[in-house]
Amino acid sequence: MTLPSQKVLVANAVCLLGLLWLYGGDVHDALQARTAEASAFLDPPPFVRPMVVLGLGAVALGVTVWGLLRRRGDDFKGYRLLPVLLVGALFVDLVFAEPRMPLKSVDLATMSLQYFQELAQQQTTSDSVPVDPAALRSVLDKLPGRPPYLVRGQPAGAYALQVRQDCEGPVRSAPGLEPGTFIYCVAPGKKAAWISLVGLPAERRFGTPDVVSVDGEARFLVVQPLPPEEEESPESPTSSPFRGGGSQPPPPPKPGGEGQDARPAP
């Protein structure tokens, strides 16, 4: 009896590491998402499927070790189990991944932020921005879908709104608020309003909810009064520091589509 060749041993070691990296990471994400205060996932990460793959991997590893202890050569079919399991698991993943939405939570949060700004901009006049909470909450009913985050392993509820007065700038930190809460911060004299959204920073997938940010810069949009000439012409574009828009907001973002990124103001 002889030991298997180095090529067989390396192939099995690579497949074992691949299984641990891919499916061990999935199990870790699933467990952490179920306990974290907020998670940057649209739906709870799968738990059963990766656990089944890891269980089968443990069986395949046991057979491989048995073959090594018995000093079986390359013709021992047990040495093929780990490579076959990895390829089969990746094929199943490919099938299940087909309907998944490719956009990340921060991308969908940015699209919701843009859409809210477009709708709020429609309520502006030539000298002030909207400040009535009831009118602004009606905008929430027009937003598609739900916040793209999990709260302790469960999908976040409907979008919420908090209106703040006499602000000197956008809110950059909002501890204690639930993911999906829009913060509408009105400047003195109703001359502008900054809109932020509570979620998670782009660099974190788990943690305490806070204002959506990228590279440490909070993302926000501005609502401003319409100049008189634009108020008189319904076809004139509304004022926006990040993107132009007509008198009607763009259609809601569709799953799988590409969203326009709102860059943080300096």
Side-chain angles (χ1 to χ4, degrees):
M1 297 293 180
T2 60
L3 288 173
S5 64
Q6 185 177 5
K7 180 175 66 175
V8 171
L9 293 176
V10 170
N12 275 270
V14 170
C15 291
L16 178 61
L17 291 176
L19 288 169
L20 292 175
W21 177 58
L22 292 172
Y23 299 98
D26 286 349
V27 171
H28 175 269
D29 287 348
L31 293 175
Q32 194 163 357
R34 284 160 173 77
T35 57
E37 190 172 350
S39 307
F41 293 96
L42 301 181
D43 298 293
F47 177 75
V48 175
R49 190 166 69 250
M51 281 298 296
V52 170
V53 173
L54 290 179
L56 293 175
V59 173
L61 177 61
V63 175
T64 301
V65 172
W66 182 87
L68 291 174
L69 295 176
R70 294 288 181 173
R71 304 183 67 84
R72 304 294 295 269
D74 288 354
D75 58 342
F76 178 56
K77 294 183 180 180
Y79 296 144
R80 308 174 191 174
L81 292 179
L82 283 172
V84 169
L85 176 61
L86 179 60
V87 173
L90 291 176
F91 174 77
V92 173
D93 268 359
L94 182 63
V95 173
F96 278 93
E98 185 175 350
R100 291 179 185 171
M101 187 176 296
L103 294 178
K104 298 179 180 179
S105 292
V106 66
D107 299 321
L108 294 171
T110 299
M111 294 167 69
S112 298
L113 194 62
Q114 291 173 334
Y115 197 51
F116 184 94
Q117 187 264 350
E118 298 260 354
L119 293 170
Q121 186 68 49
Q122 293 183 11
Q123 299 184 17
T124 59
T125 64
S126 60
D127 58 356
S128 67
V129 298
V131 296
D132 180 24
L136 290 168
R137 287 193 178 92
S138 67
V139 172
L140 299 181
D141 298 333
K142 301 178 182 179
L143 294 178
R146 55 174 175 79
Y149 296 97
L150 300 179
V151 179
R152 293 179 179 85
Q154 298 298 322
Y159 286 102
L161 176 67
Q162 183 182 91
V163 180
R164 301 185 182 183
Q165 304 287 345
D166 299 327
C167 299
E168 299 297 331
V171 175
R172 301 184 183 277
S173 181
L177 295 181
E178 290 290 322
T181 302
F182 286 98
I183 305 175
Y184 187 84
C185 212
V186 184
K190 306 177 185 178
K191 296 302 181 183
W194 296 273
I195 309 172
S196 306
L197 179 62
V198 177
L200 281 174
E203 296 77 24
R204 290 196 285 118
R205 294 187 300 162
F206 309 98
T208 303
D210 208 339
V211 171
V212 175
S213 63
V214 177
D215 296 329
E217 293 291 333
R219 286 197 166 179
F220 62 89
L221 290 174
V222 182
V223 177
Q224 295 174 315
L226 288 174
E229 62 274 10
E230 293 189 10
E231 187 180 23
E232 293 173 2
S233 176
E235 297 180 356
S236 298
T238 57
S239 174
S240 171
F242 297 103
R243 58 178 292 183
S247 58
Q248 295 294 329
K254 297 181 180 179
E258 294 182 358
Q260 188 173 8
D261 194 12
R263 301 182 180 275

